[in-house]
Amino acid sequence: MTSLTNEQVRGAIAGVQDTYLEQDYISANAVKALSVEGSTVNVSLELGYACKGAEADIKQALSDAITAAGATAVKIEITSKVAAHQVQGSLQALKGVKNIVAVSSGKGGVGKSTTTVNLALAMAAEGARVGVMDADIYGPSQGMMLGVTPGTRPQPVGEKNMAPIEAHGLQVMSIGFLIDDDQPMVWRGPMASGALQQLLTETVWDELDYLFIDMPPGTGDIQLTLSQKVPVTGSVIVTTPQDIALLDAKKGIEMFRKVEIPVLGIVENMSLHICSECGHSEPIFGHGGGEMLADQYKAPMLGALPLTMGIRTSTDSGAPTVVSAPDSKETAIYRDMARKVGALLAKRAETPVAMPNISIVND
């Protein structure tokens, strides 16, 4: 029996590319431990994004490659370690949060809030610590979507802070938790922007890998406040294939570009209508709009979601698709999108660790 060398095994691993990082695991510096005893190989991978749903495929691909190189027994362990990545300008990271992802749309009615909650739940299902911040001050909906009992109030922490509400494994904060359900927010822009900052900074987030912010539609005061004063790692743009939605989505992309917040990708909602009776599909809002937008702005196409009754009814009932139908095709799309977002962030530069300030004094 011929013994393998470390170099042979590393060469085999270098021939396997991670679908989401678009790099082989050697180039991605993901191999943290490697041992070879005769023809038995043990490999420990540490990835920069949560990927529970892809672990089996990764292990199979690596095992096949290493076996082809001559191994008779292969054991692969996969862990993930999400780092804090660079934000815009000179802003400092929010305490308790590694990465903030803004989910935005140019106009209302395109399914942005539904995308936010399912994307957050999908990221949590992949193994990350995740929170959701409902920044739609005038029309908060995340509490209802996550099944938070009406009238639930955040618990105070100290004199001026509060703990987020826990729902389906997510840490959640919304202006809706501080007011009555039927109370309108009759505020001018600066007041709404101030409320957003207060909610973000006075919530005691508990060591989140990702905080998804459900943005209000448009490019107004709240978006400007977010881009100037909140440390955002990246943004996701939600649209439908409809021309008018694409027109407004472009404005959102241009806004994030101007404030140096990277657009991680495009999500196309309502790409196809699927009849619940016969299964017939039809692109009633147009076809290919999301891909066209992604091509125009050189942004990844994260995924396309169909217009189905199930997605709507599940969020209305407080149990979004990812938790109510974990084995559905729609959930598979959301989880694939979550892995894409995590991997895209993992490829960004990490936030540099502050070095201690050392001074030397001659006595």
Side-chain angles (χ1 to χ4, degrees):
M1 182 181 294
T2 303
S3 295
L4 285 171
T5 65
N6 275 38
E7 289 72 20
Q8 287 175 314
V9 175
R10 289 178 67 85
I13 294 173
V16 181
Q17 187 175 60
D18 184 278
T19 302
Y20 298 95
L21 293 174
E22 297 181 334
Q23 286 181 298
D24 69 81
Y25 295 106
I26 299 296
S27 300
N29 196 31
V31 179
K32 296 304 176 184
L34 171 62
S35 66
V36 180
E37 297 179 6
S39 59
T40 300
V41 177
N42 291 281
V43 180
S44 177
L45 286 186
E46 183 181 88
L47 298 174
Y49 69 103
C51 62
K52 278 187 178 179
E55 282 186 6
D57 289 340
I58 295 172
K59 288 181 178 180
Q60 188 64 58
L62 285 171
S63 181
D64 289 346
I66 297 170
T67 300
T72 57
V74 180
K75 182 179 179 181
I76 298 169
E77 292 184 352
I78 299 176
T79 58
S80 63
K81 183 179 180 181
V82 178
H85 296 279
Q86 285 189 355
V87 300
Q88 76 278 31
S90 58
L91 294 175
Q92 298 298 310
L94 188 66
K95 186 176 181 181
V97 180
K98 292 179 182 177
N99 300 287
I100 293 179
V101 179
V103 183
S104 181
S105 66
K107 67 186 296 292
V110 299
K112 168 187 52 61
S113 294
T114 300
T115 298
T116 302
V117 71
N118 276 297
L119 189 56
L121 288 166
M123 190 71 85
E126 291 297 321
R129 293 180 61 84
V130 184
V132 173
M133 169 73 197
D134 193 344
D136 196 343
I137 301 297
Y138 301 110
S141 60
Q142 289 297 333
M144 176 182 175
M145 288 184 167
L146 285 164
V148 177
T149 303
T152 301
R153 299 288 185 257
Q155 293 298 309
V157 178
E159 294 184 1
K160 58 179 294 186
N161 295 326
M162 53 192 166
I165 302 296
E166 296 279 342
H168 294 301
L170 303 179
Q171 299 176 37
V172 191
M173 182 52 66
S174 170
I175 192 69
F177 299 152
L178 306 177
I179 62 173
D180 295 332
D181 288 345
D182 57 354
Q183 180 181 345
M185 304 307 296
V186 189
W187 288 352
R188 294 188 184 276
M191 292 180 65
S193 300
L196 169 62
Q197 282 186 268
Q198 191 173 354
L199 282 174
L200 269 172
T201 58
E202 295 184 5
T203 299
V204 182
W205 305 105
D206 185 12
E207 301 304 318
L208 295 179
D209 293 318
Y210 306 99
L211 175 62
F212 288 91
I213 299 186
D214 181 13
M215 297 294 295
T219 54
D221 286 329
I222 292 179
Q223 286 83 357
L224 189 60
T225 295
L226 178 101
S227 62
Q228 292 179 333
K229 298 183 179 180
V230 176
V232 180
T233 317
S235 62
V236 171
I237 303 295
V238 182
T239 186
T240 68
Q242 191 176 6
D243 288 345
I244 191 65
L246 294 169
L247 179 65
D248 291 334
K250 291 178 183 179
K251 296 175 184 177
I253 294 174
E254 292 292 352
M255 179 200 72
F256 283 120
R257 281 186 161 188
K258 287 181 179 179
V259 296
E260 299 180 347
I261 294 175
V263 174
L264 300 174
I266 311 295
V267 175
E268 184 183 88
N269 261 338
M270 310 177 197
S271 59
L272 286 172
H273 171 255
I274 300 176
C275 178
S276 58
E277 295 294 329
C278 68
H280 172 71
S281 61
E282 184 177 6
I284 60 176
F285 288 109
H287 176 70
E291 291 184 355
M292 181 190 70
L293 191 66
D295 289 341
Q296 181 178 350
Y297 286 96
K298 302 297 186 289
M301 182 69 182
L302 297 177
L305 277 302
L307 177 62
T308 64
M309 184 75 74
I311 292 178
R312 194 272 300 170
T313 56
S314 62
T315 51
D316 282 354
S317 67
T321 304
V322 171
V323 292
S324 64
D327 298 322
S328 65
K329 292 180 180 179
E330 291 78 18
T331 292
I333 295 172
Y334 284 123
R335 292 190 64 166
D336 182 66
M337 291 196 305
R339 292 191 289 270
K340 287 177 181 176
V341 168
L344 286 163
L345 289 174
K347 292 192 288 186
R348 286 179 52 76
E350 295 184 13
T351 299
V353 178
M355 297 299 292
N357 189 13
I358 301 174
S359 59
I360 300 175
V361 179
N362 292 324
D363 292 333

